[in-house]
């Protein structure tokens, strides 16, 4: 019987089964950032432990870095202190650090792929939930907690349960103006935010076969929002074309050998899945969240659903969402006034995301509505440089967007980019939890970058297919 990619990668990395029934799993790549690592390094120091494989450990700074200027020292002394700790830790333990000063800094899930650190068949972990992003390359990648960061630093291993595998097929073709973000919001809407608990998600079907790597990253990034521990796409020529020649990828004969090996880790045609679900791409519209979980969403032409239209055990959360977001059941999502527009994050902060927005804005000659604060925040310094090289920074600033430095910015607002009071933000990020964007009362509407741009231009939720027609 054939095997899934998940099973093959898991078995390759399983060191042994533990008495608890879990497996000790070797981690091929450990990505570290400033927020979840300081206590882990402190624990190592207290226990006098070295890092077992510093050559498999890479660090950057993303959450706390200001995006107006990266000049040191930061105005926020706590942020400055956190970065100083990271700098001391990477120096003391001999870890490669991608820093703002050397031009290689960025959101950890943006720089891993762009440097070619992320490769098919790997196990990848990071003290950040959205590590699932790296599954786009056919890796098994997941977020870990601070004590696990310590464990991986000390042993390069983790104790893991084996997951079930759900294959999610999306067949057919996406309509114009429908993007990978819409696909993943649609999937989460249908399967629920808890639907993936205990599962790895395998994304398959023509829509993913045709999707570029940056789109696949957007989808895998949000697997975690659907409850799955990780999500992946089987590697193919699209994967290899993206990776070939990147800094940390094998070169020459080693590259050819790696591709042969990666071809062998794809799920077999006769692999058995614990579950298979199929969707028709024609059903997917540009999506907008109206609630306080990424599953509470609707097509842009839809209306806010009533609590009664949900299962009994979900109704309290739906009513809470209505109250928090100030939405009435039956109300159209179109026309919801926004105050802030944010395009960035590890979900949608890559070159193709911004290129598409620049193309739409430039072609239509659109300008940001006067009452809207609109931020363009590249996911990495490398993305930022590429945007400048193409002249897109000018397109954005001429249209009224602020063009910022690289970082997580308003995705989590652990930096000066925050909502104020009850502001409503159209956001290309991945979470719309209460207070997620820095104000305890702030409200987030998740959508694709094109839809954020449309909202920025109209000053309210709008259908990008019309705004940029
Ligand atoms: S962009 Fe957002 S989700 Fe991604 S790593 Fe930063 S804070 Fe986390």
């Amino acid at each position: 019987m054939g095997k899934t990619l998940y099973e093959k990668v898991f078995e390759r990395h399983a060191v042994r089964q533990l008495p608890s029934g879990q497996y000790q799993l070797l981690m091929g790549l450990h990505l570290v950032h400033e927020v979840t690592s300081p206590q882990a390094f402190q624990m190592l120091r207290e226990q006098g432990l070295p890092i077992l494989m510093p050559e498999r450990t890479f660090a950057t700074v993303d959450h706390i870095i200001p995006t107006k200027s990266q000049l040191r020292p930061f105005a926020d002394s706590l942020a400055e202190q956190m970065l100083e700790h990271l700098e001391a830790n990477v120096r003391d333990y001999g870890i490669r650090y991608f820093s703002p000063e050397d031009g290689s800094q960025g959101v950890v899930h943006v720089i891993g792929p762009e440097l070619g650190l992320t490769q098919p068949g790997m196990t990848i972990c990071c003290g950040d939930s959205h590590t699932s992003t790296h599954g786009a390359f056919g890796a098994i990648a997941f977020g870990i907690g601070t004590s696990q960061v310590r464990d991986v630093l000390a042993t390069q291993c983790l104790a893991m349960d084996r997951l079930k595998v759900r294959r999610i097929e999306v067949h057919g073709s996406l309509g114009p103006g429908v993007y990978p973000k819409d696909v993943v919001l649609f999937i989460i809407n249908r399967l629920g935010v808890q639907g993936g608990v205990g599962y790895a998600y395998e994304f398959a079907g023509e829509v993913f076969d045709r999707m570029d790597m940056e789109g696949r990253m957007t989808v895998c990034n949000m697997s975690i929002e659907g409850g799955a521990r990780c999500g992946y796409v089987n590697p193919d020529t699209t994967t290899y074309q993206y990776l070939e020649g990147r800094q940390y990828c094998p070169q020459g004969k080693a590259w050819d050998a790696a591709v042969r090996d990666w071809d062998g880790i794809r799920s077999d045609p006769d692999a058995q899945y614990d579950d298979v679900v199929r969707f028709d791409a024609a059903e997917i519209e540009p999506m907008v969240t109206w609630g306080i979980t990424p599953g509470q969403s609707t097509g842009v032409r839809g209306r806010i659903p009533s609590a009664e239209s949900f299962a009994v055990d979900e109704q309290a959360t739906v009513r809470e969402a209505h109250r928090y977001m100030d939405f009435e059941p039956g109300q159209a999502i179109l026309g919801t006034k926004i105050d802030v527009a944010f395009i960035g994050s590890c979900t949608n902060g890559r070159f193709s995301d911004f290129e598409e927005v620049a193309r739409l804005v430039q072609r239509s000659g659109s300008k940001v509505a006067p009452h809207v604060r609109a931020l363009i925040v590249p996911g990495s310094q490398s993305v930022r440089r590429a945007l400048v090289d193409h002249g897109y920074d000018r397109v954005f600033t001429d249209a009224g967007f602020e063009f910022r430095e690289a970082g997580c910015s308003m995705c989590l607002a652990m930096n000066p980019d925050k909502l104020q009071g009850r502001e409503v933000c159209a956001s290309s990020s991945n979470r719309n939890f209460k207070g997620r964007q820095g104000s305890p009362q702030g409200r987030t509407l998740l959508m694709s970058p094109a839809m954020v741009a449309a909202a920025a231009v109209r000053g309210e939720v709008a259908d990008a297919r019309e705004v940029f027609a």
Side-chain angles (χ1 to χ4, degrees):
M1 194 171 70
K3 290 182 176 175
T4 63
L5 176 145
Y6 174 80
E7 290 171 293
K8 293 181 192 182
V9 175
F10 193 98
E11 286 166 11
R12 279 185 176 193
H13 292 83
V15 179
R16 63 188 172 124
Q17 191 165 19
L18 301 166
S20 65
Q22 289 188 301
Y23 290 83
Q24 184 185 13
L25 209 62
L26 179 74
M27 292 295 112
L29 174 65
H30 184 196
L31 300 167
V32 169
H33 65 88
E34 76 285 5
V35 175
T36 50
S37 68
Q39 291 153 301
F41 281 108
Q42 185 58 28
M43 288 188 265
L44 282 190
R45 279 201 178 84
E46 285 164 8
Q47 294 174 40
L49 294 168
I51 292 186
L52 188 67
M53 296 186 186
E55 72 281 7
R56 289 185 177 272
T57 312
F58 297 87
T60 194
V61 53
D62 50 15
H63 286 61
I64 53 103
I65 197 159
T67 64
K68 273 197 173 161
S69 162
Q70 295 184 335
L71 285 180
R72 307 282 295 278
F74 301 149
D76 177 350
S77 59
L78 190 61
E80 178 62 28
Q81 213 177 22
M82 284 174 92
L83 187 46
E84 284 171 7
H85 279 136
L86 181 71
E87 289 168 333
N89 288 328
V90 296
R91 195 173 50 239
D92 293 354
Y93 287 96
I95 294 170
R96 173 72 171 94
Y97 168 49
F98 300 108
S99 72
E101 290 74 21
D102 71 16
S104 57
Q105 170 265 342
V107 182
V108 67
H109 311 309
V110 176
I111 66 166
E114 75 185 15
L115 290 163
L117 287 166
T118 303
Q119 295 170 22
M122 272 187 164
T123 45
I124 301 176
C125 65
C126 173
D128 188 276
S129 315
H130 295 89
T131 309
S132 57
T133 310
H134 307 262
F137 292 82
I140 300 303
F142 40 79
I144 55 176
T146 293
S147 58
Q148 290 175 306
V149 173
R150 172 205 56 194
D151 295 347
V152 178
L153 289 172
T155 69
Q156 204 61 29
C157 289
L158 275 177
M160 296 288 296
D161 290 316
R162 210 169 162 134
L163 298 167
K164 294 183 283 185
V165 183
R166 172 177 291 142
R167 183 172 161 96
I168 300 176
E169 298 178 7
V170 184
H171 294 287
S173 301
L174 296 175
V178 179
Y179 295 92
K181 180 65 157 286
D182 303 308
V183 175
V184 71
L185 285 172
F186 176 88
I187 290 171
I188 298 169
N189 176 282
R190 294 302 167 96
L191 300 181
V193 290
Q194 298 291 322
V197 173
Y199 281 97
Y201 277 175
E202 176 176 306
F203 298 102
E206 299 98 70
V207 164
F208 298 108
D209 292 344
R210 282 195 293 264
M211 200 175 271
D212 67 17
M213 288 312 299
E214 298 201 343
R216 292 178 186 180
M217 285 187 246
T218 298
V219 172
C220 290
N221 172 278
M222 290 195 71
S223 317
I224 182 79
E225 304 306 332
R229 189 76 204 274
C230 60
Y232 65 87
V233 179
N234 282 297
D236 59 10
T237 48
T238 305
T239 319
Y240 308 149
Q241 280 168 3
Y242 177 97
L243 286 176
E244 190 169 12
R246 292 193 183 256
Q247 188 180 344
Y248 283 87
C249 278
Q251 312 286 333
K253 284 188 179 153
W255 168 260
D256 297 337
V259 169
R260 278 195 299 280
D261 181 54
W262 295 339
D263 277 338
I265 57 144
R266 292 171 57 83
S267 295
D268 295 319
D270 59 343
Q272 297 290 305
Y273 295 88
D274 298 284
D275 192 26
V276 179
V277 291
R278 294 184 180 89
F279 296 111
D280 179 356
E283 281 185 69
I284 307 176
E285 267 199 286
M287 300 291 288
V288 183
T289 62
W290 50 263
I292 50 176
T293 76
Q296 292 176 327
S297 62
T298 174
V300 64
R301 300 266 144 200
R303 292 181 178 274
I304 311 301
S306 67
E308 293 71 30
S309 62
F310 288 82
V312 174
D313 61 346
E314 289 180 60
Q315 291 182 3
T317 318
V318 174
R319 290 196 181 92
E320 189 187 347
H322 289 159
R323 273 195 303 276
Y324 184 81
M325 297 298 290
D326 275 343
F327 281 132
E328 295 291 335
Q331 188 180 336
I333 193 83
L334 266 179
T336 304
K337 187 172 168 295
I338 68 149
D339 307 289
V340 179
F342 168 61
I343 305 180
S345 85
C346 59
T347 313
N348 281 124
R350 298 186 177 80
F351 182 77
S352 60
D353 297 312
F354 299 112
E355 181 170 58
E356 178 68 354
V357 171
R359 189 183 66 81
L360 295 171
V361 167
Q362 191 171 32
R363 197 185 57 190
S364 59
S366 303
K367 302 278 182 216
V368 171
H371 71 274
V372 172
R373 183 160 52 108
L375 271 61
I376 297 281
V377 187
S380 71
Q381 291 181 310
S382 165
V383 169
R384 192 179 194 283
R385 280 192 297 274
L387 294 172
V388 172
D389 287 347
H390 282 77
Y392 295 147
D393 56 331
R394 292 275 304 281
V395 173
F396 293 132
T397 50
D398 288 352
F401 290 89
E402 295 178 39
F403 184 69
R404 296 289 190 88
E405 303 288 337
C408 293
S409 182
M410 203 178 269
C411 174
L412 182 59
M414 283 184 81
N415 54 72
D417 304 339
K418 298 181 195 301
L419 294 186
Q420 304 296 322
R422 291 285 285 155
E423 280 184 333
V424 175
C425 180
S427 179
S428 73
S429 55
N430 46 50
R431 284 189 169 160
N432 52 345
F433 303 159
K434 289 177 177 179
R436 167 79 178 180
Q437 293 189 285
S439 161
Q441 293 88 35
R443 291 169 286 175
T444 302
L445 307 172
L446 300 176
M447 55 190 88
S448 72
M451 285 287 290
V452 176
V457 166
R458 288 282 170 87
E460 60 186 31
V461 174
D463 190 334
R465 296 170 298 186
E466 280 182 11
V467 175
F468 301 118

